[in-house]
Amino acid sequence: MPTERFQFTGESGHQLAAALELPDGEPAAYALFAHCFTCGKDTLAAKRISVALATRGIAVLRFDFTGLGSSEGEFANSTFSSNVADLVRAADHLRSTREAPTILIGHSLGGAAILAAAGKIPEAKAVATIAAPSDPAHVTGLFREHLDTIRAQGEVEVSLAGRPFRIKREFLDDIAEQELMKDVTGLHKALLVMQSPVDDTVGIDNATRIFVAARHPKSFVSLDHADHLLNKPADALYAAEVIAAWASRYIDAAKPAKPVDLAEPRKVVVQETRKSKFNQTITVGPHRLVADEPVTAGGEDAGPGPYDLLLAGLGACTSMTMRLYAERKSLPLDRVTVTLKHSKIYARDCEECETREGMLDQIERDIAMDGALDAEQRKKLMEIADKCPVHRTLTSEIRIVTKAVE
């Protein structure tokens, strides 16, 4: 998936570093992602979720808040309100350069910020939070032993996740004034709340409060066994899959479709999911498939294997070709069932094969035809089966052109 990196101007006038994950084709929708407190746009959860959504046709903009990552400014001068304002600025940038986001996603404190910003982004139809606190002030628990000192001195350096950050009194004052539950109650957008029951940073009671306060349509999904930062690739990818499936109901179906060049072959894109050793996603236009290997071959059998898909293509083509012929000739063919099997055989065991040594691939294809067909009609249909385009491709010379893509 291509990644477009650029900067846009934040609320304070600083340049904020952004990354836009784009699908290979025309995006079905645009999403805006808000990362966790003191994190950044390139944290594992943010990047994995964004890339996974892009493979499902959703373009995702993520950026570093002020003073974090590659963005300008001082983190100490940022507040929850300034983060919310920067999210609105990011949506404005998308609106002016691409298309306004219809999906908003926030992780941890970024989830609270997304809920606060949602009402200021009118095009947004769906809001998803991951491990979000119900009160932004929850984040002060990370440095509670310094609160009195911050209020007394005005600014103190604290250690968060092993890194030094300066926190000002203004940050505490701003976050104490937030009324997030009012924002949730007045959201008027579809809401998906995702939370792990074993999250020891933001407890699941926060998700309960957000969910209860929200109006319908609202949904809750438990991220069983996941940690707060979604460090396991499978947890981030699962979150992305759920968001993509859930948000599809709220993406503007009336959006004009991009004209299709019927003469241009449709691309098939295969990409590793990293859920397991062999797990792959297959994208064919608007269609999504999963491929894997059986457990006996080292996979998890989450989907058909490469040879299974090859056989499926031949079987589908066979059945379609026979159906077209039957309708053209008005034959009483009710249903075709094609059963296929792939194996390796010794070349010497194949009398009609040109190759005489080593092993050969063999595909066995059994075709059952239901209907009041006579013997001649059945014979003709069997001849037609061998004329399906995929059969011809597999039995003719094939040229495969492979090149590395940057």
Side-chain angles (χ1 to χ4, degrees):
M1 301 294 110
T3 303
E4 182 180 304
R5 295 187 180 272
F6 55 89
Q7 293 182 326
F8 68 93
T9 305
E11 183 70 12
S12 62
H14 294 111
Q15 292 299 299
L16 304 183
L20 179 62
E21 296 292 344
L22 292 164
D24 284 331
E26 185 73 12
Y30 283 81
L32 176 60
F33 187 99
H35 62 70
C36 53
F37 184 59
T38 71
C39 298
K41 68 180 185 307
D42 294 321
T43 54
L44 290 176
K47 188 169 184 178
R48 285 169 176 163
I49 291 173
S50 299
V51 171
L53 286 172
T55 66
R56 289 155 181 79
I58 298 173
V60 184
L61 173 64
R62 63 187 197 276
F63 67 96
D64 294 323
F65 284 120
T66 300
L68 293 172
S70 301
S71 287
E72 295 178 349
E74 294 293 331
F75 175 79
N77 294 329
S78 67
T79 63
F80 183 80
S81 293
S82 70
N83 287 345
V84 171
D86 285 341
L87 283 168
V88 175
R89 285 289 189 119
D92 292 343
H93 180 83
L94 267 182
R95 185 184 300 108
S96 63
T97 58
R98 297 274 187 161
E99 181 180 304
T102 54
I103 305 168
L104 306 178
I105 307 164
H107 180 207
S108 192
L109 189 63
I114 276 290
L115 288 170
K120 302 177 178 67
I121 305 173
E123 296 89 347
K125 297 182 178 181
V127 181
T129 65
I130 304 168
S134 57
D135 182 353
H138 180 280
V139 75
T140 61
L142 297 174
F143 46 89
R144 61 170 59 88
E145 67 273 20
H146 299 288
L147 293 179
D148 291 340
T149 308
I150 295 171
R151 293 197 177 280
Q153 298 182 7
E155 181 177 353
V156 171
E157 183 177 285
V158 303
S159 178
L160 300 173
R163 294 182 296 156
F165 292 93
R166 301 200 69 81
I167 305 294
K168 286 187 175 182
R169 183 190 301 121
E170 288 80 3
F171 178 87
L172 301 183
D173 293 341
D174 177 81
I175 212 164
E177 295 173 356
Q178 302 301 319
E179 296 181 304
L180 188 62
M181 287 302 97
K182 285 188 178 180
D183 294 321
V184 174
T185 301
L187 189 60
H188 301 301
K189 302 177 191 292
L191 175 65
L192 171 63
V193 179
M194 307 181 78
Q195 178 72 32
S196 168
V198 297
D199 188 334
D200 57 6
T201 301
V202 177
I204 197 167
D205 54 313
N206 288 269
T208 301
R209 285 191 286 271
I210 293 172
F211 187 80
V212 171
R215 302 178 187 276
H216 285 290
K218 56 183 177 180
S219 304
F220 175 81
V221 171
S222 178
L223 299 174
D224 292 347
H225 310 299
D227 60 25
H228 180 69
L229 293 178
L230 304 185
N231 282 310
K232 295 179 182 177
D235 293 332
L237 293 169
Y238 174 73
E241 289 175 353
V242 171
I243 292 170
W246 167 81
S248 64
R249 181 175 291 269
Y250 307 105
I251 294 173
D252 191 357
K255 180 181 176 181
K258 185 178 180 180
V260 177
D261 184 355
L262 298 179
E264 182 70 20
R266 193 155 61 172
K267 287 184 179 179
V268 175
V269 179
V270 180
Q271 185 176 57
E272 289 183 304
T273 67
R274 304 303 294 158
K275 282 184 175 180
S276 62
K277 185 176 180 180
F278 295 118
N279 196 280
Q280 313 280 325
T281 57
I282 302 171
T283 305
V284 188
H287 309 295
R288 304 290 186 271
L289 307 172
V290 174
D292 203 343
E293 285 283 17
V295 175
T296 54
E300 294 186 351
D301 206 20
Y307 278 104
D308 298 329
L309 294 168
L310 177 68
L311 295 181
L314 175 59
C317 182
T318 300
S319 181
M320 292 175 183
T321 303
M322 294 173 70
R323 171 56 55 196
L324 286 172
Y325 180 83
E327 291 189 355
R328 191 181 307 120
K329 298 296 183 179
S330 300
L331 301 181
L333 177 64
D334 294 335
R335 186 189 298 272
V336 176
T337 303
V338 185
T339 305
L340 304 102
K341 178 183 176 183
H342 171 260
S343 61
K344 296 280 190 178
I345 64 169
Y346 287 104
R348 63 173 179 267
D349 295 333
C350 179
E351 295 182 358
E352 67 271 22
C353 296
E354 294 181 5
T355 303
R356 306 311 306 168
E357 296 181 359
M359 304 293 290
L360 293 175
D361 287 281
Q362 176 171 285
I363 295 176
E364 298 174 51
R365 179 176 53 178
D366 297 332
I367 302 174
M369 293 170 279
D370 296 336
L373 298 160
D374 59 34
E376 186 61 31
Q377 290 170 332
R378 289 178 180 274
K379 179 182 177 182
K380 187 60 180 178
L381 283 168
M382 289 299 289
E383 293 174 0
I384 292 298
D386 285 343
K387 295 181 180 180
C388 97
V390 173
H391 181 111
R392 289 180 171 178
T393 297
L394 292 174
T395 54
S396 62
E397 183 178 358
I398 301 175
R399 179 173 178 254
I400 299 176
V401 180
T402 304
K403 62 180 179 180
V405 179
E406 295 299 330

